Amino acid sequence: MMEIRIRDSSADRVKSDLVAIPVRDKELDGATLRALDRRLKGELRTRMGKSKFTGAEGSVLLHPTAGLLPAAYLLFIGVGAGETSGDTWRKTGAKARKEAAAIGANEFALQLTTEKNFEAAAGAIVEGAALAGYQFNKYRSNGKPVAEPKSLTLFRTGLKKTAALQKAVDLAQTTAPGVFLARDLVNEPPSVATAKYLAAQAQRVCQGRGLSVEVWNKKKIAAMNLAGLLAVNRGSLEEPRFIRIHYRPAGKARKHVALIGKGITFDSGGLSLKPSKSMETMKLDMAGGAAVIATMSCLPKLGLDIEVTGYVPTTDNLPGHNAQKPGDVIRYMNGKTIEVLNTDAEGRLILADALALAALQKPDYMINLATLTGAFMTALGTQVAGIFSNNQPLADRLLQSSQDAGEKLWQLPLVKEYKELIKSSVADMKNIGGAHGGAITAALILQEFVGDTAWAHLDIAGPAFAESESLLGPKGGTGFGVRTLIKFLTGL
Ligand code: BES
Ligand code: MN
Ligand code: ZN
């Protein structure tokens, strides 16, 4: 983890390998830039005049100081016009980190602005800088580790190390390792990251102050009547696991939240087999479970006075000789039955068990995360997750949390008329709907298992896995959901 330092200093005085300075669009005549230009004998102004750099969001200008300043390099980062959003600050931190790594910097610095909410900006900058450093190289034989900066100094003239600033920085420093853990779990190859492996990792990372982990094996799962998990697991040689993680605060809990994550460690589709192209990334199908485990692992550090229970039903979905068949009916612990017409609609089958079980505890809120439907991705693309909820105040809180966290979330309706589409001729419902609205019919099935508990379902099929590299991380698992959940829990 990068060390974060806070300093009362100015850009022309900070000694660092690289000093990053956010610049607002078309504001190239501020006090900082003038002071630097004077020290650089007018070279900066000349360089800016010749370059296309205006301060437009995302644009950068790297300038070596040739010994005229304590900083070896200056990096100007455009943050655009208008109020700078948390997302822009996150990207600014990431950009600075990447440029610092590219010049082989051991440490770098970034100038904070004087805006009203600069603590939140600082938190976003630190988070972005940390997230940009993620790598998954354990399976590369030529994985020459790139030198990464060890520390980041946040500075500004008159900057004080206030409690609010420290808190924002600490929160970012707690969140980033959680996101990395979720990414690691998703990126691990599926023959390694089995249900057993996920459970072992949960036991490894969820420890200390108030956290405990319980892992149920197949026998216990059968005894507890988790019929959906058993049904999906039938086609596999790997045993399923049901992971339950519990966080109990030291004092009295103000609220109880249940987090439920889909933990399909590989989704082949089962007998309703997927085409091979669609299977290429199906190790991602435990991203919801990974986000829940990762979020739970952060709770002792966050020290919140909220009780949180995490539930991760986990298995792979394979077409082995004993696999469940289209036409099979599953009878759940709450008495409801589902006719399985497509074994590739397996997420809802295992989440149904977990939701029904979680609802028995009567938590204040129940939130599930799942890479549930390709249909949602068709609708909103790969960057946006969906939220469905039976409780608008809960949905509003999650929407706000996701915005603060820089994770895109968009609400879709639970259209009750579409319940027609999941009617079965033999059971209470079937596990697939019609040709259209697949993300909604999937959510409607989940809703049958939550009773009257305030509940939200996040369909993270799109953003859980990045098909290409971005500023905040490489191709692969993104850890989507961890940041939103931590924001939600800390703001509750
Ligand atoms: N895990 C998939 C959904 C998915 C697809 C996640 C692509 C990420 C990327 C899920 O289990 C699934 O297969 N859903 C089916 C449902 C259908 C059979 C009703 C789908 O979306 O095609
Ligand atoms: Mn599937
Ligand atoms: Zn799936």
Side-chain angles (χ1 to χ4, degrees), residues 362-373:
K362 301 247 171 269
D364 295 293
Y365 301 117
M366 205 147 89
I367 303 165
N368 76 258
L369 287 86
T371 46
L372 203 65
T373 69

Side-chain angles (χ1 to χ4, degrees), residues 262 264 267 282 285 344 346-347 371-372:
K262 171 176 173 181
I264 296 291
D267 185 9
M282 276 306 137
D285 218 15
D344 195 13
E346 83 297 338
T371 46
L372 203 65

Side-chain angles (χ1 to χ4, degrees), residues 11 18-33 36 48 53-61 74-80 84 88-89 91-93 95-96 109-115 121-122 125 153-156:
L18 179 141
V19 172
I21 297 149
V23 180
R24 296 166 57 77
D25 198 17
K26 305 207 175 59
E27 291 185 12
L28 301 180
D29 200 32
T32 302
L33 264 62
L36 289 170
M48 282 198 170
F53 183 80
T54 62
E57 181 163 1
S59 61
V60 290
L61 181 71
L74 295 176
L75 176 72
F76 301 95
I77 306 180
V79 293
T84 312
T88 301
W89 285 127
K91 286 185 189 145
T92 300
K95 198 103 196 171
L110 198 150
Q111 180 176 270
L112 294 183
T113 59
T114 50
E115 64 184 333
I125 287 165
T153 302
L154 300 173
F155 70 92
R156 190 188 68 204

Side-chain angles (χ1 to χ4, degrees), residues 436-482:
H436 310 294
I440 299 177
T441 42
L444 288 171
I445 293 172
L446 299 184
Q447 193 180 11
E448 294 294 319
F449 294 85
V450 303
D452 51 15
T453 310
W455 156 80
H457 152 52
L458 273 56
D459 192 332
I460 62 170
F465 197 88
E467 294 284 0
S468 58
E469 182 187 1
S470 79
L471 266 181
L472 296 183
K475 182 172 172 168
T478 59
F480 189 96
V482 174

Side-chain angles (χ1 to χ4, degrees), residues 301-489:
K301 270 214 178 109
L302 295 171
L304 308 174
D305 52 355
I306 295 166
E307 183 180 355
V308 189
T309 316
Y311 301 82
V312 182
T314 175
T315 174
D316 42 13
N317 182 26
L318 292 177
H321 68 273
N322 201 33
Q324 66 169 340
K325 305 162 191 75
D328 279 349
V329 173
I330 304 173
R331 191 183 295 279
Y332 284 88
M333 69 171 77
N334 67 352
K336 297 203 177 177
T337 56
I338 298 186
E339 182 188 12
V340 179
L341 289 184
N342 189 319
T343 63
D344 195 13
E346 83 297 338
R348 57 205 80 180
L349 301 180
I350 67 167
L351 286 168
D353 287 321
L355 290 168
L357 192 73
L360 292 177
Q361 304 294 317
K362 301 247 171 269
D364 295 293
Y365 301 117
M366 205 147 89
I367 303 165
N368 76 258
L369 287 86
T371 46
L372 203 65
T373 69
F376 190 83
M377 236 199 317
T378 305
L380 294 214
T382 57
Q383 305 242 337
V384 186
I387 174 169
F388 298 84
S389 181
N390 61 2
N391 183 286
Q392 198 53 40
L394 171 61
D396 289 340
R397 270 182 184 276
L398 282 163
L399 286 164
Q400 184 62 52
S401 304
S402 75
Q403 205 184 342
D404 295 345
E407 296 186 316
K408 293 182 181 54
L409 197 57
W410 194 257
Q411 188 171 10
L412 264 74
L414 290 160
V415 184
K416 59 177 184 303
E417 288 78 3
Y418 293 177
K419 284 188 185 173
E420 272 309 309
L421 300 171
I422 52 171
K423 280 204 168 143
S424 157
S425 53
V426 298
D428 295 341
M429 64 197 113
K430 54 181 179 167
N431 76 332
I432 46 168
H436 310 294
I440 299 177
T441 42
L444 288 171
I445 293 172
L446 299 184
Q447 193 180 11
E448 294 294 319
F449 294 85
V450 303
D452 51 15
T453 310
W455 156 80
H457 152 52
L458 273 56
D459 192 332
I460 62 170
F465 197 88
E467 294 284 0
S468 58
E469 182 187 1
S470 79
L471 266 181
L472 296 183
K475 182 172 172 168
T478 59
F480 189 96
V482 174
R483 280 147 57 191
T484 296
L485 287 178
I486 290 180
K487 275 274 184 307
F488 170 80
L489 293 170

Side-chain angles (χ1 to χ4, degrees), residues 159-231:
L159 183 65
K160 290 198 181 55
K161 206 171 182 167
T162 59
L165 179 57
Q166 193 62 51
K167 198 172 159 197
V169 168
D170 288 348
L171 184 59
Q173 291 278 71
T174 303
T175 304
V179 175
F180 285 13
L181 171 64
R183 289 178 180 180
D184 280 346
L185 293 174
V186 170
N187 289 335
E188 198 62 48
S191 48
V192 175
T194 59
K196 231 189 205 160
Y197 175 90
L198 264 197
Q201 293 306 307
Q203 278 166 325
R204 181 177 68 83
V205 299
C206 292
Q207 275 180 6
R209 290 187 297 155
L211 258 193
S212 59
V213 181
E214 215 183 310
V215 175
W216 297 351
N217 62 13
K218 187 170 172 178
K219 210 170 136 206
K220 174 79 176 175
I221 289 167
M224 295 305 287
N225 201 11
L226 302 180
L229 182 55
L230 285 175

